[in-house]
């Protein structure tokens, strides 16, 4: 009796011809992506840019608020000491 076997690789998986093309996990998304994946990639990049802008704005507001509080504290300390020429021009 003769049995027929399908050739496979050493790992026991299907033959290399039936697996499809090998894709590197480090390949550029633009080279391996379908149209939907490309749209998702663009959406993620837009969201990341918006998040970076929001963080920058929050940091700028924080720096401005801190400097305003320091200046106010300085002026109040000056008035508390009895000086009347404390306000900045």
């Amino acid at each position: 009796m003769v049995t027929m076997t399908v050739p496979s690789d050493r790992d026991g998986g299907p033959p290399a011809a039936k697996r499809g093309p090998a894709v590197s996990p480090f390949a550029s998304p633009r080279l391996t992506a379908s149209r939907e994946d490309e749209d998702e990639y663009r959406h993620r990049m837009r969201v990341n840019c918006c998040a970076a802008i929001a963080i920058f704005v929050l940091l700028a507001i924080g720096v401005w608020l801190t400097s305003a509080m320091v200046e106010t504290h300085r002026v109040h300390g000056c008035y508390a000491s009895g000086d009347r020429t404390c306000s900045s021009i």
Side-chain angles (χ1 to χ4, degrees):
M1 182 159 125
V2 176
T3 59
M4 305 227 12
T5 60
V6 176
S8 65
D9 288 345
R10 290 184 177 180
D11 64 355
K18 292 186 179 180
R19 282 190 204 160
V23 177
S24 169
F26 303 107
S28 170
R30 294 192 182 271
L31 296 177
T32 59
S34 67
R35 181 71 181 159
E36 293 170 0
D37 291 339
E38 190 172 324
D39 289 342
E40 181 181 336
Y41 178 76
R42 286 180 181 168
H43 178 70
R44 272 196 337 255
M45 289 300 112
R46 285 183 183 148
V47 169
N48 288 344
C49 288
C50 290
I53 291 170
I55 288 172
F56 177 76
V57 167
L58 288 174
L59 285 172
I61 290 171
V63 168
W64 171 78
L65 186 60
T66 302
S67 65
M69 289 172 64
V70 166
E71 179 66 20
T72 302
H73 180 70
R74 187 190 65 78
V75 170
H76 282 251
C78 184
Y79 282 138
S81 70
D83 194 1
R84 296 293 176 220
T85 59
C86 299
S87 58
S88 60
I89 297 174

